[in-house]
Amino acid sequence: MDAEVGIIGVGTMGSMAAWQLAKKGVSVLGFEQFGIGNDRTAAGGESRLFRTAYMEGPEYVPLLQDAKELWRQLEKESGNSLLTLNGGLMIGEAESPAIKTILKSISDFDLDHEILEGDQARNRYPQFKLYDDDLAVLDKDAGFIRPELAVVSASLLAMKQGAEIKRYTKVESITPESDGVSITADGKNYKVGKVLISTGAWTSKLMPELKEQLIPRRLLLTWFAPKDLTNTGVDKLPIFARMRGNFRLTGAPTLDGSMVKASYTKDPLAIEDPAELYRDVYPEELERISESVDALLPALLPDPVRANAYMDAYTPDGHALLGELPGWKNVIVGSGFSGHGFKLSPVIGKIISELLIDGKTGSNISHLDPGRILREVE
Ligand SMILES: Cc1cc2nc3c(=O)[nH]c(=O)nc-3n(C[C@H](O)[C@H](O)[C@H](O)COP(=O)(O)OP(=O)(O)OC[C@H]3O[C@@H](n4cnc5c(N)ncnc54)[C@H](O)[C@@H]3O)c2cc1C
């Protein structure tokens, strides 16, 4: 046996799982096709948003609350500042499903928040254009995370506690056997007790049988120059989601002293092959993002000054696959986080460690059960 657990893909979830497993004394062998903290897949672009008043469903709130504690733990252990809670402003039509779900998350869990209407919102946040049927909700337990530093921090801690991570090593196949799982990577064979598949957007390349359930999608991040830098800093501009009709802009304040991140993240484009990710901007994307910034974020000049493309694996229902892969003995999947998994990653790492060590978790992850959409690949 080369290790008790093999981790395929040491990106967001893989690094957090390695940290949690190594901390509990489990021997870990990780495989990462690129470098640690690389920005070539889902974890790049300087910031990821953390929100608690969740528009994707109140069932995530307990996980998010646990994740917040674990972010603080990771900060303490690594000595790095990773999560800044400067608030989150969600603006959309009061009757839209997203705003209704945010309000439900707040009322179900009594979350710290403020509701701002009309001129109250306009006066406090002049960076945004608000219409009369819009409602602004300020989530007090929201902010931004440093994604590259988070992956590096978790990986370094894992290695310090004995995990081995093979960088620039691509896994070609995994095969469950009666006494463990064999892994082939760069032509060499390894044997481990159990395996975590945390390959994100690349999962369907490793496991073509999952190609219908885990679709790689391309997300473009864009940054804009503010007209007045004094009202876009961390103290003035919360992280935000500005939704209206077909527009959906999500972003973060100025972190580098010159640009605001504002990205169009609705309905990301499905891609055939993650290895061929187009990293530039398509003309129609440029038009759509400039038009939405012009309409909804008057504090910014509408031409992006920086753009980059990333990707994530999307499931058909927008909820990840987390748990045993049906029909695959000793194999756990943690993938398909559908554009909203980063904020959850430390708690996902902890849950994965519990599933691998104890075969169960105390967290409620029934909405992420792979069995809900994977029965047919058994
Ligand atoms: C542009 C963008 C913006 C986002 N914004 C937010 C946000 O604001 N808030 C939020 O919570 N979430 C956000 N997300 C979602 C979040 O970033 C992802 O859900 C999360 O990072 C996915 O983690 P992962 O571990 O599944 O994938 P990754 O972090 O991509 O990790 C997969 C790793 O596996 C490696 N790998 C793949 N195949 C192999 C192989 N065969 N052998 C070895 N290694 C392999 C890859 O190189 C990669 O490092 C965003 C995503 C994107 C793309």
Side-chain angles (χ1 to χ4, degrees), residues 66-368:
D66 290 349
K68 186 175 109 176
E69 296 309 312
L70 286 162
W71 280 116
R72 296 298 178 225
Q73 178 105 38
L74 183 55
E75 287 182 323
K76 203 168 149 202
E77 289 181 28
S78 65
N80 294 327
S81 168
L82 302 170
L83 168 66
T84 304
L85 292 175
N86 67 325
L89 190 64
M90 313 294 140
I91 312 175
E93 292 106 317
E95 291 306 312
S96 61
I99 292 290
K100 283 186 169 172
T101 312
I102 287 170
L103 294 176
K104 180 153 174 35
S105 293
I106 289 173
S107 70
D108 284 4
F109 292 94
D110 195 20
L111 302 178
D112 197 3
H113 74 288
E114 270 182 70
I115 306 273
L116 305 163
E117 287 177 83
D119 285 342
Q120 197 191 7
R122 288 185 194 101
N123 293 337
R124 186 138 150 217
Y125 295 109
Q127 301 92 335
F128 298 91
K129 164 111 178 126
L130 257 95
Y131 293 84
D132 287 341
D133 58 348
D134 281 328
L135 189 73
V137 183
L138 185 66
D139 175 355
K140 298 287 183 74
D141 253 343
F144 59 91
I145 309 157
R146 300 288 195 170
E148 298 89 346
L149 186 60
V151 170
V152 168
S153 301
S155 303
L156 283 175
L157 282 168
M159 289 190 277
K160 221 189 239 178
Q161 288 168 93
E164 184 186 352
I165 301 176
K166 293 193 174 290
R167 296 144 49 238
Y168 301 100
T169 307
K170 187 172 181 170
V171 171
E172 283 131 23
S173 67
I174 54 171
T175 315
E177 288 167 356
S178 56
D179 56 345
V181 185
S182 79
I183 297 171
T184 309
D186 286 350
K188 287 197 192 134
N189 292 323
Y190 303 86
K191 184 79 181 272
V192 295
K194 293 182 180 179
V195 155
L196 165 66
I197 301 177
S198 46
T199 38
W202 305 77
T203 307
S204 56
K205 281 216 99 163
L206 180 68
M207 307 198 63
E209 49 275 77
L210 299 180
K211 74 175 191 316
E212 303 289 322
Q213 292 85 8
L214 292 171
I215 298 164
R217 291 187 184 273
R218 172 181 174 280
L219 288 106
L220 186 73
L221 292 184
T222 38
W223 287 260
F224 294 82
K227 291 175 189 163
D228 173 3
L229 263 174
T230 62
N231 73 353
T232 57
V234 173
D235 54 334
K236 292 281 168 53
L237 182 64
I239 62 116
F240 59 86
R242 178 66 181 104
M243 303 159 282
R244 187 162 183 89
N246 279 330
F247 291 143
R248 184 182 160 180
L249 292 175
T250 54
T254 309
L255 300 181
D256 72 336
S258 73
M259 300 177 285
V260 169
K261 185 169 102 173
S263 309
Y264 193 101
T265 45
K266 198 169 182 225
D267 304 329
L269 201 66
I271 51 178
E272 271 301 306
D273 183 353
E276 313 247 302
L277 175 71
Y278 180 66
R279 303 205 81 166
D280 209 339
V281 185
Y282 293 112
E284 58 275 19
E285 286 176 321
L286 184 61
E287 199 178 317
R288 190 178 55 190
I289 181 77
S290 292
E291 196 190 330
S292 37
V293 167
D294 201 29
L296 300 172
L297 259 166
L300 307 181
L301 288 166
D303 301 323
V305 290
R306 180 184 160 195
N308 208 350
Y310 304 88
M311 56 190 160
D312 199 1
Y314 279 68
T315 61
D317 63 7
H319 303 290
L321 304 182
L322 180 62
E324 259 178 46
L325 193 56
W328 288 66
K329 202 168 162 240
N330 293 321
V331 177
I332 298 264
V333 63
S335 196
F337 287 86
S338 305
H340 63 108
F342 206 92
K343 62 183 85 57
L344 291 160
S345 58
V347 75
I348 300 298
K350 178 161 180 269
I351 291 169
I352 288 168
S353 73
E354 291 163 353
L355 294 174
L356 287 166
I357 297 168
D358 310 322
K360 59 182 172 30
T361 172
S363 303
N364 183 358
I365 51 163
S366 52
H367 57 298
L368 309 178

Side-chain angles (χ1 to χ4, degrees), residues 9 12-13 32-33 41-42 48-49 171 312 337 339 341-343:
T12 312
M13 305 304 164
E32 171 51 51
Q33 63 181 342
T41 63
R48 286 287 177 273
L49 311 187
V171 171
D312 199 1
F337 287 86
F342 206 92
K343 62 183 85 57

